[in-house]
Amino acid sequence: MLVINDLHVKLEEEDKQILKGVNLTVEPGKVHAIMGPNGSGKSTLSYVLSGKGGYEVTQGSATLEDAELLDMDAEERAAAGLFLAFQYPVEIPGVGNMTFLRTAVNAQRKARGEVEMSAGEFLKVIREKAKSLKIDAEMLKRPVNVGFSGGEKKRNEILQMAMLEPKMCILDETDSGLDVDAMKLVAEGVNALRTEDRGFLVITHYQRLLDHIIPDFVHIMSDGRIVKTGGPELALEIEHNGYGDILAEVA
Amino acid sequence: MALARKIIQVKQDATDARLSLLDLPDGATWITEARNAAMSRVKKMSLPHGRDEYWKFTKPDTFVQPEALKAPLFDNDEGPLWADVDRLKVVFVDGIFDAEASDDLSSEGLVIERLAVAALKDIHWAKDLYGVLEIRGQDAVQRPLAALNTAFATDGILVHVTGKVSKPLNLIYLYNSETSDVNLHHCIKIDAGAEVTILETGPGAARLNTVMEVDIADNSAFHHIRVQGRDHERRAVTGIFTRLGHESTFKSFTLTMNGVLTRNECVIELTGDNAIAHVAGACVGDGKDFHQDDTVFITHDSFNCESRQVFKKVLRNGATGVFQGKILVKKDAQKTDGYQISQALLLDDNSQFLAKPELEIYADDVACSHGSTTGAIDENSLFYLQSRGVPKAEATDLLVLAFLAEALQEIEDTMLAEGILERLNGWLARHGH
Ligand SMILES: Nc1ncnc2c1ncn2[C@@H]1O[C@H](COP(=O)(O)OP(=O)(O)OP(=O)(O)O)[C@@H](O)[C@H]1O
Ligand SMILES: [Mg+2]
């Protein structure tokens, strides 16, 4: 599904290398978790994959179902099935949440040559999905993320993911800022989307999210590289011992 | 000193050149007196010059020069605005009332007359309004083009509002001549407890000068929505002069799309307690020849009044937007609540926004705030939208409309607001990416 090969990325404006050769393959139906110390490059990887400006790929490639991601505009990547749940969802005053999501859903459908969703159908589907994430209708009417609490913003990301039904979902610290109950809701939302043909890349600092979304693989990122890969037990190990031992071992 | 004297001379010469081509229209004594007085004002002030402080951001030359510059007629392929809104149409073609194209002007709660007809009547209520508010508006700052209008306008409408009128009055300005040089002067007198909505639409004229004097009595309301012509070469200078009584309301919104030069002046006097005045504008301009100017002067002269100015401009490809807005709070205008915001969204580095917000406050118990910003499209917002699959062009349009939202929200009537939004969407589609 997603194949990242020897990806090197630096900042466009400065001479600062952030990703220093990332290799990672996510097969359909699998959940990969990425953990790693602050500043190791996890968010950068998610941004570069989804097409944010300000970065320069100096080496390597990334493909989604064999399509070269790095050549596409951000909106093309989305239409191709990539989704990023942001670590810091953006507030957009003046753009209604509903308008935004319907525009997005239909823009993607249009780009893929599919029929657009009618207003009625859209309303029905979003109400249903919002309800299961305990997002009330009032919130949907508000401008995108404006005045949302930290946890509400994260749930709104998952709602968008549920509406857009991407093939490859990247979740960047979706658990941060969530209370215990909200985390369960979010995890249920994610698990509901776990199908044989969908891949997940879950960036997190904490084992507790992985209690709910059980990963197939856990990767440790450090200084712009994936330095260790293992199963769910690797997350537990980090929970108990921190990164010190592992980083010393691979150094 | 020599330079200042030279400019005075240049201004006088330009004024004489303009006036020499104009004849005071015929009329009854009351209006002839008003016109003569206005002409004296013009001579005394002289027409504006680029060196005038009040015109430092907007070149007045093309408003001043004897002949109007040519404005090719625009091929308008858009459907009519507000087609499904029930309204009373009052049509002017090249500055002259067109009875055939207009609706029957008799309406409940309203008495409407053409200025051209009323001007011939020996006695008319408009004697107490025609030119009167315009003169009051000259108090703090000179507005010679408005005085020029008072002196030479031959047509317009005089409206006496006696009750609550639900059907809006739509003034429509059309032109057939590419050099149409039009002065229209309207007087709106709203009795206590009455209410009216006035709409202004249509291409305008090659050079349009409108003055609207609005006298708003106690407990009455005036709503105004204007969509200025989108012919690329048309020019317009407009003046709204209003005075508000006790517990009365004035709300005005203007949409400016295209037009090579637009100067909209609005002079508001809050003279009765608890009155409310809102004036708002949304402007979208494309190209280095586009220049749009909102100049507002609000005087708080009574207790507990509220004023609100909301101006938003979207500028691209070298367009220029101007805002000059002043709130003057007189000594006894305690509990004044004044708000002013002017913002520009520049879609490229070549466009510019020039703003001069001013506050002058003599009362001590007031809450006044003003802000002015210039910014570009927020990259993070744009990326967020794109990352959800919204194409860049469409995402930009969404952010442009979001930016304009605060001004658009000033339109109370949802049907009228929808029409405005439709027009904006049309513009965005045509001036796309
Ligand atoms: N646009 C930028 N400008 C400057 N520095 C940047 C930029 N983007 C990333 N960096 C730097 O790159 C490094 C990696 O950042 P990144 O946000 O990817 O880390 P992370 O692994 O997601 O960290 P965290 O766990 O704190 O979220 C950091 O040192 C960060 O400061
Ligand atoms: Mg991060």
Side-chain angles (χ1 to χ4, degrees):
Chain A
M1 162 123 325
L2 178 70
V3 180
I4 304 167
N5 185 20
D6 194 29
L7 190 63
H8 287 67
V9 170
K10 68 180 271 295
L11 291 177
E12 216 168 50
E13 307 265 285
E14 311 169 31
D15 206 16
K16 183 174 173 185
Q17 198 74 32
I18 299 176
L19 299 185
K20 302 173 177 171
V22 176
N23 288 293
L24 180 67
T25 299
V26 180
E27 300 292 348
K30 300 293 182 207
V31 175
H32 290 239
I34 297 190
M35 305 181 80
N38 293 131
S40 56
K42 304 180 298 293
S43 292
T44 302
L45 175 64
S46 72
Y47 285 147
V48 170
L49 291 174
S50 43
K52 190 173 198 240
Y55 302 100
E56 188 187 325
V57 176
T58 52
Q59 198 176 313
S61 68
T63 55
L64 182 66
E65 292 186 320
D66 299 328
E68 188 49 71
L69 273 179
L70 304 178
D71 295 341
M72 298 184 208
D73 290 334
E75 60 262 35
E76 292 171 332
R77 302 180 197 203
L82 189 74
F83 180 90
L84 168 63
F86 282 54
Q87 180 172 4
Y88 304 107
V90 181
E91 296 187 10
I92 313 183
V95 177
N97 221 1
M98 285 283 227
T99 313
F100 157 60
L101 250 176
R102 198 153 79 86
T103 308
V105 167
N106 282 334
Q108 290 202 13
R109 290 185 166 216
K110 202 168 142 193
R112 293 194 291 259
E114 299 165 9
V115 283
E116 293 184 22
M117 218 179 200
S118 72
E121 194 188 344
F122 176 82
L123 212 61
K124 192 171 148 259
V125 178
I126 196 166
R127 284 218 180 108
E128 199 179 289
K129 300 201 170 181
K131 201 173 157 203
S132 65
L133 283 161
K134 294 218 166 79
I135 293 175
D136 61 56
E138 203 43 51
M139 248 171 78
L140 294 175
K141 286 186 198 147
R142 299 217 300 250
V144 179
N145 293 324
V146 176
F148 287 27
S149 74
E152 285 169 345
K153 284 180 184 166
K154 296 301 178 80
R155 272 185 278 158
N156 195 29
E157 294 291 289
I158 300 305
L159 174 65
Q160 292 172 34
M161 186 167 88
M163 289 302 295
L164 294 166
E165 301 183 320
K167 291 175 187 157
M168 179 66 220
C169 310
I170 305 174
L171 281 69
D172 191 359
E173 292 196 30
T174 301
D175 52 334
S176 66
L178 290 181
D179 64 41
V180 181
D181 295 328
M183 173 127 70
K184 272 197 191 132
L185 279 176
V186 162
E188 279 165 21
V190 172
N191 288 331
L193 285 169
R194 279 181 85 161
T195 56
E196 272 174 24
D197 47 8
R198 189 171 276 133
F200 286 87
L201 196 57
V202 179
I203 298 169
T204 182
H205 285 295
Y206 303 107
Q207 160 61 30
R208 45 170 206 200
L209 179 70
L210 304 178
D211 284 342
H212 300 288
I213 306 173
I214 297 161
D216 298 293
F217 299 97
V218 175
H219 308 276
I220 309 300
M221 186 168 228
S222 168
D223 192 23
R225 278 187 203 92
I226 286 173
V227 294
K228 190 172 171 120
T229 294
E233 73 289 346
L234 190 54
L236 278 170
E237 191 186 329
I238 287 160
E239 180 88 348
H240 291 128
N241 307 329
Y243 292 107
D245 293 351
I246 291 172
L247 296 186
E249 169 194 323
V250 299
Chain B
M1 227 31 227
L3 180 65
R5 266 206 307 280
K6 187 166 165 252
I7 289 169
I8 290 171
Q9 192 57 51
V10 167
K11 285 179 64 164
Q12 278 173 0
D13 291 349
T15 304
D16 290 345
R18 179 72 181 272
L19 294 179
S20 71
L21 292 179
L22 296 168
D23 294 316
L24 277 186
D26 287 337
T29 313
W30 67 271
I31 196 161
T32 301
E33 281 173 0
R35 284 167 170 161
N36 273 319
M39 179 144 91
S40 305
R41 284 198 293 285
V42 175
K43 284 184 175 157
K44 195 161 159 236
M45 295 186 264
S46 286
L47 292 172
H49 183 276
R51 288 294 185 114
D52 295 352
E53 177 65 19
Y54 217 43
W55 288 87
K56 69 175 174 185
F57 296 140
T58 299
K59 274 205 199 100
D61 318 25
T62 52
F63 291 137
V64 171
Q65 68 188 47
E67 310 282 351
L69 288 175
K70 213 165 139 174
L73 299 165
F74 195 71
D75 182 19
N76 196 332
D77 49 1
E78 279 183 309
L81 176 63
W82 297 317
D84 47 1
V85 174
D86 188 23
R87 68 219 138 103
L88 204 65
K89 295 192 219 50
V90 184
V91 180
F92 294 88
V93 180
D94 289 324
I96 297 166
F97 174 72
D98 184 337
E100 210 139 288
S102 302
D103 289 330
D104 175 11
L105 297 189
S106 54
S107 174
E108 198 136 320
L110 278 179
V111 182
I112 308 173
E113 282 170 277
R114 275 182 77 177
L115 174 62
V117 173
L120 305 175
K121 295 186 178 171
D122 289 335
I123 298 172
H124 202 281
W125 60 261
K127 177 179 191 290
D128 297 327
L129 187 51
Y130 190 91
V132 172
L133 296 185
E134 177 252 297
I135 292 177
R136 292 178 70 100
Q138 306 282 358
D139 224 26
V141 193
Q142 294 188 344
R143 306 172 196 278
L145 290 165
L148 185 79
N149 176 297
T150 301
F152 296 100
T154 50
D155 224 336
I157 52 161
L158 307 177
V159 184
H160 185 185
V161 187
T162 54
K164 283 196 162 60
V165 183
S166 56
K167 197 180 199 179
L169 198 63
N170 190 175
L171 311 181
I172 302 173
Y173 310 135
L174 307 176
Y175 67 104
N176 290 325
S177 159
E178 292 194 335
T179 53
S180 58
D181 193 11
V182 170
N183 287 300
L184 288 170
H185 196 114
H186 311 301
C187 292
I188 322 287
K189 177 179 156 71
I190 307 175
D191 286 353
E195 209 172 305
V196 73
T197 298
I198 302 246
L199 312 173
E200 289 184 279
T201 57
R207 180 164 69 182
L208 178 68
N209 179 334
T210 62
V211 167
M212 186 182 286
E213 297 178 281
V214 191
D215 203 5
I216 308 174
D218 296 349
N219 304 299
S220 64
F222 174 73
H223 293 269
H224 173 241
I225 297 181
R226 169 167 60 181
V227 179
Q228 298 186 293
R230 63 177 179 86
D231 290 19
H232 290 284
E233 300 297 323
R234 67 112 188 103
R235 289 176 160 75
V237 56
T238 72
I240 295 174
F241 297 86
T242 188
R243 176 171 57 186
L244 285 89
H246 185 80
E247 311 231 329
S248 66
T249 303
F250 167 93
K251 288 196 178 173
S252 172
F253 171 88
T254 299
L255 173 67
T256 311
M257 300 188 296
N258 306 348
V260 70
L261 181 60
T262 307
R263 161 93 158 203
N264 295 325
E265 294 191 14
C266 187
V267 184
I268 299 170
E269 268 185 279
L270 295 147
T271 61
D273 295 351
N274 310 318
I276 295 173
H278 289 195
V279 52
C283 143
V284 288
D286 187 350
K288 66 175 180 16
D289 294 329
F290 176 90
H291 187 109
Q292 195 270 4
D293 172 336
D294 286 296
T295 290
V296 179
F297 198 112
I298 299 182
T299 305
H300 281 260
D301 197 9
S302 208
F303 177 77
N304 197 38
C305 291
E306 173 194 311
S307 74
R308 194 175 155 82
Q309 301 170 59
V310 181
F311 288 90
K312 301 270 184 155
K313 299 173 201 278
V314 177
L315 305 165
R316 65 186 312 162
N317 293 326
T320 300
V322 172
F323 175 75
Q324 304 190 98
K326 178 157 180 173
I327 306 174
L328 169 64
V329 182
K330 294 208 174 162
K331 196 163 99 302
D332 296 325
Q334 299 297 0
K335 299 285 177 197
T336 284
D337 178 2
Y339 174 78
Q340 180 197 85
I341 184 93
S342 67
Q343 294 181 306
L345 178 65
L346 307 184
L347 297 182
D348 52 61
D349 294 339
N350 304 321
S351 302
Q352 60 170 346
F353 177 51
L354 306 163
K356 189 179 176 193
E358 280 180 284
L359 285 177
E360 195 177 325
I361 301 175
Y362 297 100
D364 46 32
D365 184 12
V366 303
C368 281
S369 66
H370 68 115
S372 181
T373 64
T374 305
I377 288 276
D378 179 56
E379 287 298 327
N380 285 324
S381 303
L382 191 63
F383 173 62
Y384 191 69
L385 294 171
Q386 283 181 269
S387 78
R388 297 317 184 226
V390 183
K392 188 173 183 182
E394 212 173 320
T396 305
D397 288 353
L398 273 177
L399 294 174
V400 164
L401 290 175
F403 167 78
L404 294 173
E406 190 185 359
L408 299 176
Q409 274 154 16
E410 290 292 324
I411 307 169
E412 281 181 16
D413 185 287
T414 48
M415 287 228 317
L416 296 174
E418 266 169 37
I420 297 284
L421 196 59
E422 229 170 74
R423 280 307 196 250
L424 269 171
N425 278 317
W427 189 91
L428 289 169
R430 285 191 306 276
H431 293 258
H433 321 275

